[in-house]
Amino acid sequence: MRPASKKLVSVIIWAAIHVALISLGLLQPWKVESDLYSVLPDSSEFKNVSEAEKALSARSMRNFTVLVGHRDFAVAKSAAEALEASFALDSAFAETRLYVDDSTMQRMSDFFFEYRNVLQGKPVRDLLKAGDSSAFSAIADMARQKVYGAFTIADLSHLEDDPFLLGAESFDYFTLHSQLMGGRFTLRDGVLAAEDSSVSYVMWSAALSPTVSAMASDGHMLARLDRVLDSLRLVHEGLRIEKSGVPFHSYESSRNAQSEVAWISGVSIVLILLLLLWAFRTPVPIVCTLVAIGVAICAALLGTWALFGSIHVFTFVFGTSVIGVSIDYAIHFFTDWKHGTSKNGLDIRRHIFKGLLLGFMTTELSYIALTFAEFPLLRQMAVFSIVGLASSFATILLLFPNLPLPQGDARAKSMAPTRIPAFILDFYDRFAPRTVVVAGIVLLLALVPGVLKLNIHTDMRALYAMSENLKRSEALNARLNNLGISANYFIVEGSSEQELLQNEESLVCRLDSALDMVHDSANDSVSSSVKPVLGGYLATSTYIPSLKVQDETFEGIRRLYASPVFGELLRDLNLSSDSVRMSDASPRYLTPQSEIPASFRSILSMLWIGEVNGKFYSAVFPLHVAADFAVSQFAEGMPFVYAVNKMDNVNATLTDLSRVALLLVALAYLVVFVVLVLVDGFVQALKVIRAPVISCFFIAAVFGYCGIPFNFFAIVGVILTLGIGIDYALFFKEGGSRNLTTALAVMLSAMTTLISFGSLSFSSFVPVATFGFSVLLGILCCFALSPFSRR
């Protein structure tokens, strides 16, 4: 086949590969994930209910609160009303909540009156269950107190239909005396308000629409909210704004990360461009390299998108390895073109092919190994890199050799850039083999104590530093609301709605027993101290009991009306027995599908998950728990109850998977070592593999000596070190002992990688900084050791 025909075939193959990727990618709708929890691995403890837990987390992560404060309550209320008016009809919000007016309270009162015969709080249900005259008399006395008490606020308009005032009793239990009203917020002039340090705060709460992304942008809903709040501060002097909720944290961290990464990346790109201009003295390699990087990233994006149906933003961070390796491949090609002896693109490819192929295979093996880890995000990262590197490799081998590269004077060599690699090679040539061995042993011995001190642990809480403003706002919100929702909670499962509610009631029965237990802080045991082990709980079955409990309540009330106590109460209330009777002949059941007031529904939205994959789920949240409250103990013997501590479960699972990922990469490198042994023999294979392996131990030792937790993001850096660093040793092996072109190419590759990843270590975003610092250490060590792999 003629050279021109070979070039045409190469271009056609390259184009076909990328057109296929584009076609596959465009078949999927565009979706970018920004919530890290949505792709975190599932803990073995609640893997069966992971989808339900994710649905609950996604819902809770959309809710937030804004406290509008001022020393003058009227000013605070006016500003809150302006805020409500600005967003009440905005489609970016699923709902907004400010007013709790008389009509709202009346709807609640009517609702509890309507379902009074099936919906009662636990105190009344316990009296009805007792069913004796003393229990019924206690219910009647509560009605008398509401009618004749000096401070009664009960609605007496339904007295003839409800002489026991069961509707009013239910209203009091679920609203005025609810655990949700345990804070300092009270109803004032139609809004919820609280006092703190002589400042009146009005609560405005909202829920973002599911379509609103957590990623920061100028047009983001929370950016618009901030602009409105800033304008309110200008209008009302002395106005205090306190924001609380997951959306604010996601938005702030996303905005800061984007700003930092953009700034750091911009500086890195400028430095890399200057470096390449110094090395090549022409813009041709730079333009071609940028094209190769752009094509590789697009291919990786589309391939990952086609396979997973979405892509996570953190995949882009990990995917910077594609940029690093793409630059490396391109640098080797153009260094040989500028400073080598090859006459054309095909000669260049022939000269660097073996080194590129071995480097490509070993790097791909590292990422392929990661696809076997039970971690969706890690798999996505690996696939992104696999596809991107394959595209870059294809571009260098199929497209670059066909470029019309300048010849003759335009390709005149400038030997200035080779002076540094010449100096480096002279420096390494001074080491005798015995000296190298002794130095290697000393280095390994120095690394051992650091490795032994290594703490392989991932704590997601330590990876996010909350701003002082948000920290203050969250503290104030917690102090005023005083809900005390525990990080430990339960997910309850059932094959139907009613089975779920009954299962939840079984759990609640156990929790009721903990309400009477107290915690001895001195002895750290349950004793007669004053602090309760459990202050309360939130459960759907409290607000919507199962039909079984509703039937029991209904029958208890029927017996109440049939008891002598009924007649005594009528005489005391001066009501005629002919006109007053239990109005419902049969229960009118309350279900999750019933028409429920909005304020009541908002509580249930926190708890009721609903149907997921054919089963039904709900959450039960303990309140004000003591240190020795263990959710797992209350779930024992209940296969339908799952104890959840999302943060601890995620941390433990990530820590375990980090070890698994390292093991998988170690196995991949064992395979790489075997391949290198078959290609070049045991001694040369050992020379190549030792640089990246020792570099990984070097990273671990530095983290150990510095007392930095060796978390998942540091281990991702180790994986990149193995994937990228081995290429340096391979190219030095293939280039020979005095090949200045290879030494220059490796030096440029290492410097671009150090600039790209090293700059990330200065980020205040802890995962990015940890990731960048890990890669910086690894690549630095790899470059320092790789010249020893020369033949």
Side-chain angles (χ1 to χ4, degrees), residues 684-715:
Q684 285 298 323
L686 191 61
K687 285 184 177 181
V688 171
I689 206 79
R690 68 185 173 185
V693 171
I694 292 175
S695 297
C696 293
F697 283 103
F698 177 72
I699 297 171
V702 171
F703 272 76
Y705 279 126
C706 296
I708 305 172
F710 201 54
N711 58 38
F712 168 75
F713 302 97
I715 290 173

mmCIF file of all heavy atoms in Angstrom, residues 684-715:
data_model
loop_
_atom_site.group_PDB
_atom_site.id
_atom_site.type_symbol
_atom_site.label_atom_id
_atom_site.label_comp_id
_atom_site.label_asym_id
_atom_site.label_seq_id
_atom_site.Cartn_x
_atom_site.Cartn_y
_atom_site.Cartn_z
ATOM 1 N N GLN A 684 15.276 -5.751 33.406
ATOM 2 C CA GLN A 684 14.743 -4.510 32.833
ATOM 3 C C GLN A 684 13.329 -4.227 33.345
ATOM 4 O O GLN A 684 12.958 -3.072 33.593
ATOM 5 C CB GLN A 684 14.733 -4.610 31.300
ATOM 6 C CG GLN A 684 16.106 -4.477 30.669
ATOM 7 C CD GLN A 684 16.740 -3.131 30.956
ATOM 8 O OE1 GLN A 684 16.076 -2.109 30.989
ATOM 9 N NE2 GLN A 684 18.058 -3.140 31.191
ATOM 10 N N ALA A 685 12.520 -5.279 33.495
ATOM 11 C CA ALA A 685 11.162 -5.094 34.020
ATOM 12 C C ALA A 685 11.208 -4.537 35.439
ATOM 13 O O ALA A 685 10.426 -3.650 35.808
ATOM 14 C CB ALA A 685 10.408 -6.413 33.998
ATOM 15 N N LEU A 686 12.147 -5.032 36.246
ATOM 16 C CA LEU A 686 12.289 -4.558 37.616
ATOM 17 C C LEU A 686 12.729 -3.099 37.643
ATOM 18 O O LEU A 686 12.253 -2.299 38.468
ATOM 19 C CB LEU A 686 13.292 -5.426 38.362
ATOM 20 C CG LEU A 686 13.373 -5.236 39.878
ATOM 21 C CD1 LEU A 686 12.033 -5.566 40.526
ATOM 22 C CD2 LEU A 686 14.483 -6.096 40.458
ATOM 23 N N LYS A 687 13.617 -2.702 36.724
ATOM 24 C CA LYS A 687 14.066 -1.320 36.645
ATOM 25 C C LYS A 687 12.918 -0.373 36.323
ATOM 26 O O LYS A 687 12.851 0.744 36.839
ATOM 27 C CB LYS A 687 15.164 -1.187 35.577
ATOM 28 C CG LYS A 687 16.529 -1.722 35.987
ATOM 29 C CD LYS A 687 17.544 -1.435 34.892
ATOM 30 C CE LYS A 687 18.938 -1.893 35.311
ATOM 31 N NZ LYS A 687 19.946 -1.591 34.265
ATOM 32 N N VAL A 688 12.027 -0.817 35.443
ATOM 33 C CA VAL A 688 10.901 0.026 35.033
ATOM 34 C C VAL A 688 9.870 0.140 36.146
ATOM 35 O O VAL A 688 9.386 1.233 36.473
ATOM 36 C CB VAL A 688 10.241 -0.524 33.752
ATOM 37 C CG1 VAL A 688 8.933 0.210 33.452
ATOM 38 C CG2 VAL A 688 11.190 -0.394 32.572
ATOM 39 N N ILE A 689 9.540 -0.976 36.763
ATOM 40 C CA ILE A 689 8.422 -0.995 37.707
ATOM 41 C C ILE A 689 8.781 -0.360 39.042
ATOM 42 O O ILE A 689 7.908 0.104 39.784
ATOM 43 C CB ILE A 689 7.936 -2.458 37.917
ATOM 44 C CG1 ILE A 689 6.463 -2.485 38.343
ATOM 45 C CG2 ILE A 689 8.790 -3.169 38.943
ATOM 46 C CD1 ILE A 689 5.516 -2.290 37.223
ATOM 47 N N ARG A 690 10.078 -0.313 39.361
ATOM 48 C CA ARG A 690 10.449 0.147 40.711
ATOM 49 C C ARG A 690 10.161 1.636 40.912
ATOM 50 O O ARG A 690 9.830 2.057 42.027
ATOM 51 C CB ARG A 690 11.914 -0.157 40.979
ATOM 52 C CG ARG A 690 12.881 0.655 40.144
ATOM 53 C CD ARG A 690 14.313 0.237 40.349
ATOM 54 N NE ARG A 690 15.202 0.929 39.420
ATOM 55 C CZ ARG A 690 16.509 0.678 39.316
ATOM 56 N NH1 ARG A 690 17.051 -0.262 40.076
ATOM 57 N NH2 ARG A 690 17.250 1.343 38.451
ATOM 58 N N ALA A 691 10.297 2.450 39.851
ATOM 59 C CA ALA A 691 10.109 3.900 40.022
ATOM 60 C C ALA A 691 8.692 4.239 40.480
ATOM 61 O O ALA A 691 8.507 4.912 41.507
ATOM 62 C CB ALA A 691 10.452 4.631 38.731
ATOM 63 N N PRO A 692 7.620 3.801 39.757
ATOM 64 C CA PRO A 692 6.269 4.144 40.227
ATOM 65 C C PRO A 692 5.899 3.466 41.541
ATOM 66 O O PRO A 692 5.178 4.044 42.356
ATOM 67 C CB PRO A 692 5.365 3.683 39.083
ATOM 68 C CG PRO A 692 6.142 2.671 38.345
ATOM 69 C CD PRO A 692 7.578 3.098 38.460
ATOM 70 N N VAL A 693 6.397 2.248 41.766
ATOM 71 C CA VAL A 693 6.056 1.545 43.008
ATOM 72 C C VAL A 693 6.680 2.239 44.212
ATOM 73 O O VAL A 693 6.023 2.480 45.238
ATOM 74 C CB VAL A 693 6.494 0.064 42.928
ATOM 75 C CG1 VAL A 693 6.349 -0.607 44.286
ATOM 76 C CG2 VAL A 693 5.676 -0.677 41.884
ATOM 77 N N ILE A 694 7.980 2.565 44.112
ATOM 78 C CA ILE A 694 8.634 3.281 45.216
ATOM 79 C C ILE A 694 7.974 4.640 45.425
ATOM 80 O O ILE A 694 7.826 5.108 46.560
ATOM 81 C CB ILE A 694 10.143 3.436 44.934
ATOM 82 C CG1 ILE A 694 10.829 2.065 44.995
ATOM 83 C CG2 ILE A 694 10.783 4.383 45.940
ATOM 84 C CD1 ILE A 694 12.304 2.108 44.619
ATOM 85 N N SER A 695 7.544 5.264 44.331
ATOM 86 C CA SER A 695 6.879 6.562 44.442
ATOM 87 C C SER A 695 5.595 6.462 45.250
ATOM 88 O O SER A 695 5.258 7.369 46.018
ATOM 89 C CB SER A 695 6.580 7.117 43.048
ATOM 90 O OG SER A 695 7.760 7.342 42.330
ATOM 91 N N CYS A 696 4.859 5.384 45.072
ATOM 92 C CA CYS A 696 3.627 5.189 45.849
ATOM 93 C C CYS A 696 3.935 5.045 47.331
ATOM 94 O O CYS A 696 3.232 5.610 48.185
ATOM 95 C CB CYS A 696 2.878 3.961 45.334
ATOM 96 S SG CYS A 696 2.235 4.171 43.666
ATOM 97 N N PHE A 697 5.014 4.294 47.656
ATOM 98 C CA PHE A 697 5.411 4.182 49.053
ATOM 99 C C PHE A 697 5.905 5.530 49.586
ATOM 100 O O PHE A 697 5.714 5.851 50.766
ATOM 101 C CB PHE A 697 6.502 3.120 49.204
ATOM 102 C CG PHE A 697 5.982 1.712 49.154
ATOM 103 C CD1 PHE A 697 6.133 0.940 48.024
ATOM 104 C CD2 PHE A 697 5.323 1.158 50.252
ATOM 105 C CE1 PHE A 697 5.648 -0.351 47.970
ATOM 106 C CE2 PHE A 697 4.827 -0.126 50.212
ATOM 107 C CZ PHE A 697 4.989 -0.892 49.060
ATOM 108 N N PHE A 698 6.528 6.319 48.715
ATOM 109 C CA PHE A 698 6.982 7.649 49.111
ATOM 110 C C PHE A 698 5.796 8.539 49.490
ATOM 111 O O PHE A 698 5.835 9.251 50.506
ATOM 112 C CB PHE A 698 7.780 8.271 47.957
ATOM 113 C CG PHE A 698 8.234 9.676 48.221
ATOM 114 C CD1 PHE A 698 9.250 9.942 49.130
ATOM 115 C CD2 PHE A 698 7.645 10.745 47.563
ATOM 116 C CE1 PHE A 698 9.675 11.236 49.368
ATOM 117 C CE2 PHE A 698 8.054 12.043 47.793
ATOM 118 C CZ PHE A 698 9.079 12.294 48.700
ATOM 119 N N ILE A 699 4.725 8.497 48.676
ATOM 120 C CA ILE A 699 3.514 9.268 48.985
ATOM 121 C C ILE A 699 2.965 8.847 50.346
ATOM 122 O O ILE A 699 2.653 9.680 51.205
ATOM 123 C CB ILE A 699 2.445 9.071 47.901
ATOM 124 C CG1 ILE A 699 2.932 9.590 46.550
ATOM 125 C CG2 ILE A 699 1.147 9.781 48.287
ATOM 126 C CD1 ILE A 699 2.002 9.235 45.394
ATOM 127 N N ALA A 700 2.836 7.523 50.520
ATOM 128 C CA ALA A 700 2.279 7.007 51.768
ATOM 129 C C ALA A 700 3.126 7.419 52.968
ATOM 130 O O ALA A 700 2.602 7.798 54.023
ATOM 131 C CB ALA A 700 2.162 5.483 51.688
ATOM 132 N N ALA A 701 4.464 7.362 52.808
ATOM 133 C CA ALA A 701 5.353 7.712 53.920
ATOM 134 C C ALA A 701 5.228 9.185 54.284
ATOM 135 O O ALA A 701 5.208 9.541 55.472
ATOM 136 C CB ALA A 701 6.797 7.371 53.550
ATOM 137 N N VAL A 702 5.157 10.062 53.298
ATOM 138 C CA VAL A 702 5.025 11.494 53.578
ATOM 139 C C VAL A 702 3.717 11.764 54.318
ATOM 140 O O VAL A 702 3.682 12.519 55.303
ATOM 141 C CB VAL A 702 5.089 12.312 52.276
ATOM 142 C CG1 VAL A 702 4.732 13.772 52.546
ATOM 143 C CG2 VAL A 702 6.478 12.217 51.654
ATOM 144 N N PHE A 703 2.614 11.131 53.864
ATOM 145 C CA PHE A 703 1.334 11.301 54.554
ATOM 146 C C PHE A 703 1.429 10.766 55.983
ATOM 147 O O PHE A 703 0.854 11.342 56.912
ATOM 148 C CB PHE A 703 0.220 10.593 53.783
ATOM 149 C CG PHE A 703 -0.424 11.438 52.722
ATOM 150 C CD1 PHE A 703 0.223 11.682 51.517
ATOM 151 C CD2 PHE A 703 -1.671 12.005 52.923
ATOM 152 C CE1 PHE A 703 -0.362 12.453 50.532
ATOM 153 C CE2 PHE A 703 -2.266 12.795 51.945
ATOM 154 C CZ PHE A 703 -1.607 13.028 50.745
ATOM 155 N N GLY A 704 2.135 9.652 56.156
ATOM 156 C CA GLY A 704 2.285 9.076 57.490
ATOM 157 C C GLY A 704 3.104 9.963 58.406
ATOM 158 O O GLY A 704 2.730 10.210 59.562
ATOM 159 N N TYR A 705 4.252 10.449 57.920
ATOM 160 C CA TYR A 705 5.102 11.324 58.726
ATOM 161 C C TYR A 705 4.381 12.623 59.094
ATOM 162 O O TYR A 705 4.554 13.156 60.197
ATOM 163 C CB TYR A 705 6.381 11.652 57.966
ATOM 164 C CG TYR A 705 7.446 10.578 58.047
ATOM 165 C CD1 TYR A 705 8.013 10.033 56.898
ATOM 166 C CD2 TYR A 705 7.909 10.114 59.282
ATOM 167 C CE1 TYR A 705 8.992 9.053 56.957
ATOM 168 C CE2 TYR A 705 8.889 9.137 59.362
ATOM 169 C CZ TYR A 705 9.428 8.608 58.198
ATOM 170 O OH TYR A 705 10.382 7.639 58.284
ATOM 171 N N CYS A 706 3.593 13.153 58.165
ATOM 172 C CA CYS A 706 2.898 14.426 58.400
ATOM 173 C C CYS A 706 1.605 14.247 59.189
ATOM 174 O O CYS A 706 0.972 15.248 59.565
ATOM 175 C CB CYS A 706 2.586 15.115 57.064
ATOM 176 S SG CYS A 706 4.052 15.606 56.131
ATOM 177 N N GLY A 707 1.204 13.002 59.429
ATOM 178 C CA GLY A 707 -0.027 12.757 60.171
ATOM 179 C C GLY A 707 -1.283 13.102 59.397
ATOM 180 O O GLY A 707 -2.338 13.354 59.996
ATOM 181 N N ILE A 708 -1.202 13.108 58.064
ATOM 182 C CA ILE A 708 -2.357 13.426 57.223
ATOM 183 C C ILE A 708 -3.109 12.129 56.930
ATOM 184 O O ILE A 708 -2.500 11.151 56.480
ATOM 185 C CB ILE A 708 -1.928 14.084 55.898
ATOM 186 C CG1 ILE A 708 -1.074 15.325 56.170
ATOM 187 C CG2 ILE A 708 -3.139 14.441 55.051
ATOM 188 C CD1 ILE A 708 -0.460 15.926 54.911
ATOM 189 N N PRO A 709 -4.420 12.068 57.178
ATOM 190 C CA PRO A 709 -5.175 10.843 56.859
ATOM 191 C C PRO A 709 -5.032 10.474 55.380
ATOM 192 O O PRO A 709 -5.177 11.332 54.503
ATOM 193 C CB PRO A 709 -6.619 11.209 57.211
ATOM 194 C CG PRO A 709 -6.497 12.322 58.200
ATOM 195 C CD PRO A 709 -5.280 13.102 57.800
ATOM 196 N N PHE A 710 -4.730 9.226 55.133
ATOM 197 C CA PHE A 710 -4.565 8.730 53.758
ATOM 198 C C PHE A 710 -5.957 8.360 53.252
ATOM 199 O O PHE A 710 -6.371 7.212 53.268
ATOM 200 C CB PHE A 710 -3.640 7.518 53.765
ATOM 201 C CG PHE A 710 -2.997 7.226 52.442
ATOM 202 C CD1 PHE A 710 -2.285 8.202 51.770
ATOM 203 C CD2 PHE A 710 -3.080 5.967 51.881
ATOM 204 C CE1 PHE A 710 -1.673 7.928 50.559
ATOM 205 C CE2 PHE A 710 -2.472 5.682 50.676
ATOM 206 C CZ PHE A 710 -1.763 6.666 50.014
ATOM 207 N N ASN A 711 -6.692 9.393 52.786
ATOM 208 C CA ASN A 711 -8.089 9.189 52.436
ATOM 209 C C ASN A 711 -8.255 8.787 50.975
ATOM 210 O O ASN A 711 -7.280 8.617 50.236
ATOM 211 C CB ASN A 711 -8.913 10.446 52.756
ATOM 212 C CG ASN A 711 -8.410 11.676 52.031
ATOM 213 O OD1 ASN A 711 -7.993 11.613 50.882
ATOM 214 N ND2 ASN A 711 -8.453 12.815 52.703
ATOM 215 N N PHE A 712 -9.510 8.669 50.588
ATOM 216 C CA PHE A 712 -9.827 8.212 49.234
ATOM 217 C C PHE A 712 -9.201 9.101 48.169
ATOM 218 O O PHE A 712 -8.701 8.616 47.147
ATOM 219 C CB PHE A 712 -11.350 8.167 49.071
ATOM 220 C CG PHE A 712 -11.807 7.978 47.656
ATOM 221 C CD1 PHE A 712 -11.712 6.752 47.042
ATOM 222 C CD2 PHE A 712 -12.323 9.048 46.940
ATOM 223 C CE1 PHE A 712 -12.117 6.580 45.728
ATOM 224 C CE2 PHE A 712 -12.736 8.887 45.633
ATOM 225 C CZ PHE A 712 -12.638 7.646 45.024
ATOM 226 N N PHE A 713 -9.187 10.400 48.388
ATOM 227 C CA PHE A 713 -8.690 11.333 47.378
ATOM 228 C C PHE A 713 -7.170 11.252 47.253
ATOM 229 O O PHE A 713 -6.626 11.456 46.174
ATOM 230 C CB PHE A 713 -9.143 12.748 47.724
ATOM 231 C CG PHE A 713 -10.641 12.869 47.819
ATOM 232 C CD1 PHE A 713 -11.286 12.793 49.044
ATOM 233 C CD2 PHE A 713 -11.415 13.011 46.685
ATOM 234 C CE1 PHE A 713 -12.656 12.882 49.130
ATOM 235 C CE2 PHE A 713 -12.789 13.102 46.762
ATOM 236 C CZ PHE A 713 -13.411 13.028 47.987
ATOM 237 N N ALA A 714 -6.480 10.955 48.346
ATOM 238 C CA ALA A 714 -5.041 10.730 48.277
ATOM 239 C C ALA A 714 -4.736 9.447 47.506
ATOM 240 O O ALA A 714 -3.783 9.379 46.726
ATOM 241 C CB ALA A 714 -4.457 10.652 49.685
ATOM 242 N N ILE A 715 -5.576 8.439 47.708
ATOM 243 C CA ILE A 715 -5.374 7.168 47.017
ATOM 244 C C ILE A 715 -5.639 7.315 45.523
ATOM 245 O O ILE A 715 -4.980 6.677 44.694
ATOM 246 C CB ILE A 715 -6.259 6.083 47.658
ATOM 247 C CG1 ILE A 715 -5.722 5.759 49.051
ATOM 248 C CG2 ILE A 715 -6.329 4.826 46.800
ATOM 249 C CD1 ILE A 715 -6.570 4.847 49.872
#
